[in-house]
Amino acid sequence: MKTFAAMGVHGTTALTCVTAQNTYEVREAQCLAPSLVRSQIMAVWDDMGIDAGKTGMLGTREIIEEVASTVSKLGFPLVVDPVMVAKSGAPLISDDAVDVLRRRLLPVAKVVTPNRPEAERLTGMKIASEKDAERAAEYINKEYGTEVVVVKGGHLEGAEAVDVVYYKGSFHKFSTPRLESRATHGTGCAYSAAIAAALAKGLDPLEAIKTAKRFIYTAIKYGVSRGKGHWPVNPTAWVEIPAERWRAAQELNAALDLIRRNAAVFAKAIPEVQSNIGYVIDPRYAEGPGDIVAVPGRIVNYMGEARPSGPPTFGASSHTARKILAFVKKGAEVRAAMNIRYSPHLVEKAKSLGFRVAVVDRRKEPEEVKQVEGGSMAWVVGEALSQTGGAPPDIIADLGDWGKEPQITILGRSPVEVVEKALRLLT
């Protein structure tokens, strides 16, 4: 359901079996009557129609027979995820049902998405390479009639996770970097659901698989770190990341509007290297400077007024970005930063306002730290946090070094909070 929503389609369900499970075991399972499964499918069909569907755990041969019969009559494109074993190793289909799945369900499926163990069980072949996966995919197509066969590469070796697709007599391969992640609970379900959603939206099979491959890579990469076993994948990352970037840009725009309304005040605080303000997206999704939105060309003093040189842009400020990322890596609640000119008066005023202030002397920075890209910002942040007992500072007074202008950095959880702190300090 999360995958369908993230992919922009409305999902409905026809329950087949109810399980009691968590991230490390399946404790109990009970399958429904086949007639009830059919009734659920028909209830959706009679009301709103079905543009595409997918199967997951079917459990018994009787349910498989019913699903195959119903789908063949209705004719919508079906993606079969041939679920046989849970991540914990628990069987999710009876032995006598596998042959029915081969003979009855695969012929009515448009797409089937077995992983290596499932493909081995469906074909009786040993699969240890991409060539083996190709032979298995072609076999399933020729033997059982499934139009599109996807043999997933997650269980194979290699730096890339390569899915082998057999479609219309040709092989196609879709790959993503292999992730060393605990968040693999639900990969097959989310992947097949993404293919079904893409088919429902009218994409051709190869484009649907390509989109689903990117989708599941994102869902695994940003998985939910909860549970004692295999953590769940995170389908909503697909929409949360672009939504976060839009939201971050909007919040920075609000902060820049506040600067524009107080342009004369901020103009006096702009240092020789000029000012900038940056904001990082949700730290769960932040990886580098490209995930921090800032002002390209910085904020300048133009005829006595502070003016941003351009609209909020991601990756626009490596200096501000490195400082924010250093706080993110430390787990501190700092997501926005802005630099202004340094003066002892402003430092003292910050203290009088009750701001948490750290004063850092860059001349004490070890030479080996200076040689590391981004090392200086990490060192400054570490020094500041050591002075504040690990609590995020409001202000870092950087005393500078040879060739490095002294500056004050104002920090906060949002860019508007940072600008509001700056106004309190400057007025």
Side-chain angles (χ1 to χ4, degrees):
M1 292 297 99
K2 288 182 179 180
T3 296
F4 289 152
M7 290 285 289
V9 299
H10 178 67
T12 61
T13 57
L15 296 180
T16 57
C17 303
V18 178
T19 67
Q21 65 171 297
N22 51 35
T23 61
Y24 62 89
E25 66 176 346
V26 177
R27 296 182 177 180
E28 191 175 348
Q30 186 169 328
C31 293
L32 279 62
S35 60
L36 181 55
V37 175
R38 181 184 68 250
S39 293
Q40 292 177 82
I41 298 171
M42 294 308 302
V44 175
W45 176 267
D46 292 339
D47 182 31
M48 61 182 70
I50 300 172
D51 294 310
K54 65 145 291 198
T55 65
M57 177 185 176
L58 296 175
T60 68
R61 61 180 299 153
E62 292 80 11
I63 291 176
I64 295 172
E65 289 273 11
E66 192 61 69
V67 170
S69 175
T70 304
V71 172
S72 63
K73 291 173 184 174
L74 300 180
F76 59 83
L78 181 70
V79 179
V80 171
D81 177 14
V83 176
M84 297 179 184
V85 179
K87 274 286 186 290
S88 62
L92 297 177
I93 188 173
S94 59
D95 289 335
D96 64 341
V98 176
D99 189 54
V100 179
L101 188 147
R102 290 191 192 100
R103 292 184 296 101
R104 291 285 289 118
L105 191 60
L106 293 187
V108 303
K110 185 174 185 67
V111 184
V112 62
T113 61
N115 57 29
R116 186 186 70 181
E118 292 161 350
E120 288 179 338
R121 194 168 178 187
L122 289 172
T123 63
M125 300 177 179
K126 181 67 177 175
I127 301 173
S129 67
E130 289 179 26
K131 277 295 181 186
D132 295 338
E134 289 179 1
R135 284 192 288 271
E138 185 175 11
Y139 178 90
I140 292 171
N141 168 265
K142 302 295 186 187
E143 189 71 17
Y144 305 119
T146 308
E147 184 180 351
V148 187
V149 182
V150 185
V151 177
K152 297 179 292 189
H155 289 77
L156 296 175
E157 299 296 324
E160 298 277 315
V162 182
D163 294 352
V164 173
V165 180
Y166 187 76
Y167 177 51
K168 290 186 176 179
S170 299
F171 293 106
H172 308 267
K173 295 181 181 180
F174 298 94
S175 64
T176 54
R178 188 174 298 278
L179 295 167
E180 298 300 326
S181 172
R182 278 181 66 181
T184 56
H185 192 109
T187 48
C189 181
Y191 183 43
S192 56
I195 295 173
L199 291 174
K201 294 173 75 173
L203 274 67
D204 70 77
L206 292 180
E207 192 62 31
I209 294 165
K210 180 181 178 181
T211 301
K213 185 68 172 174
R214 295 197 308 268
F215 179 94
I216 198 60
Y217 175 81
T218 303
I220 296 171
K221 184 176 182 178
Y222 300 106
V224 181
S225 55
R226 291 290 183 275
K228 300 174 183 177
H230 297 278
W231 292 342
V233 297
N234 179 15
T236 53
W238 185 254
V239 287
E240 283 179 351
I241 293 172
E244 264 295 301
R245 295 175 75 85
W246 180 87
R247 186 191 61 78
Q250 292 300 104
E251 291 205 26
L252 189 61
N253 257 327
L256 293 177
D257 285 343
L258 188 53
I259 290 173
R260 292 186 188 98
R261 293 199 300 271
N262 296 274
V265 173
F266 279 99
K268 297 176 183 178
I270 293 175
E272 289 183 16
V273 295
Q274 303 173 350
S275 292
N276 210 330
I277 182 169
Y279 184 43
V280 66
I281 65 173
D282 188 323
R284 291 179 299 162
Y285 302 125
E287 294 186 323
D291 296 314
I292 286 84
V293 61
V295 179
R298 306 186 183 184
I299 302 169
V300 301
N301 183 343
Y302 179 75
M303 299 183 68
E305 291 190 343
R307 291 191 182 180
S309 298
T313 304
F314 282 92
S317 173
S318 61
H319 186 274
T320 303
R322 285 198 298 268
K323 188 171 290 184
I324 295 171
L325 287 170
F327 275 107
V328 169
K329 289 177 181 177
K330 296 281 188 182
E333 292 184 359
V334 171
R335 294 184 55 187
M338 179 181 184
N339 68 304
I340 62 173
R341 67 177 175 81
Y342 169 84
S343 81
H345 166 72
L346 290 177
V347 174
E348 292 306 312
K349 184 172 182 182
K351 292 177 180 178
S352 70
L353 289 170
F355 287 167
R356 192 178 289 116
V357 178
V359 180
V360 178
D361 189 346
R362 292 279 291 278
R363 292 169 297 182
K364 297 179 181 179
E365 181 183 351
E367 193 60 37
E368 60 270 20
V369 173
K370 296 179 181 179
Q371 305 306 316
V372 178
E373 179 70 24
S376 292
M377 287 302 98
W379 182 83
V380 168
V381 168
E383 284 291 298
L385 289 171
S386 69
Q387 292 180 30
T388 58
D394 298 296
I395 303 289
I396 297 178
D398 182 345
L399 302 181
D401 196 357
W402 295 108
K404 297 183 185 297
E405 182 184 5
Q407 294 182 64
I408 288 174
T409 300
I410 304 171
L411 306 162
R413 291 166 294 185
S414 74
V416 169
E417 180 184 315
V418 165
V419 173
E420 288 173 344
K421 286 180 182 179
L423 281 172
R424 291 180 63 194
L425 194 61
L426 298 171
T427 55

